Amino acid sequence: MGGNPKFMQQAIQLATENVTSGRGGPFGAVVVKDDVLIATGSNQVTSSNDPTAHAEVVAIRNACAALGTFQLDGCDVYTSCEPCPMCLAALYWSRCRTIYFGNNREDAAKAGFDDSFLYSEVTKPLEERTIPILCLLPEEALESFHVWDSSPFKVNY
């Protein structure tokens, strides 16, 4: 199993306190490095009017700010619930070491947070998705990548 139960307990406590305080949904996350708490996050979607302010994303932002980096190499993330597709992608982009979760996606669905639509949507070809996704000005858009390739500010990640 691995992981440190005390950090999962903190993520769960954040989730519960987030609900009882009226700040948001029942989700909490903590970022840990070398068995030291680096940052926390709780769901702030409704309190901040930000659909991306899920607990994991907030925790990633806070941890990166605390560490002064855009990657969480060597960090473990404890989240009260299995990450949704957006959070899972953000966690992968963060390059964290391990993701531990409490509730699973079925538990979330029973509580009214059903992400099954998103899980199925991302596997569909673009032309079959619910929201139209259309390519526009691809040749012009490539210019940004050409500039990036030769930029002295380029940072590989």
Side-chain angles (χ1 to χ4, degrees):
M1 179 174 137
N4 187 327
K6 80 175 184 179
F7 294 120
M8 181 56 72
Q9 290 166 339
Q10 285 181 279
I12 294 166
Q13 183 178 3
L14 281 167
T16 304
E17 288 174 359
N18 207 47
V19 174
T20 59
S21 70
R23 287 189 303 262
F27 303 97
V30 301
V31 178
V32 175
K33 186 169 188 169
D34 300 324
D35 217 32
V36 174
L37 179 68
I38 302 299
T40 66
S42 57
N43 180 281
Q44 298 174 10
V45 170
T46 57
S47 62
S48 66
N49 294 318
D50 179 354
T52 69
H54 289 201
E56 297 91 337
V57 172
V58 173
I60 290 167
R61 291 173 181 163
N62 292 340
C64 287
L67 294 171
T69 182
F70 59 89
Q71 293 184 337
L72 298 179
D73 296 326
C75 292
D76 299 317
V77 178
Y78 293 79
T79 179
S80 63
C81 189
E82 180 179 357
C84 74
M86 177 186 71
C87 292
L88 185 60
L91 289 162
Y92 269 83
W93 276 116
S94 80
R95 309 292 202 278
C96 68
R97 181 173 61 187
T98 308
I99 303 165
Y100 298 98
F101 67 91
N103 295 313
N104 63 34
R105 66 178 83 172
E106 290 82 16
D107 298 324
K110 289 176 192 170
F113 301 94
D114 190 352
D115 295 328
S116 60
F117 167 75
L118 293 173
Y119 283 105
S120 67
E121 193 75 2
V122 298
T123 63
K124 293 179 183 176
L126 295 180
E127 63 276 2
E128 293 178 20
R129 293 188 184 171
T130 302
I131 296 175
I133 301 178
L134 308 167
C135 187
L136 184 62
L137 300 178
E139 293 302 317
E140 289 182 39
L142 281 174
E143 180 61 23
S144 301
F145 289 145
H146 296 313
V147 172
W148 174 253
D149 283 339
S150 61
S151 173
F153 305 111
K154 181 177 179 177
V155 177
N156 290 321
Y157 59 97

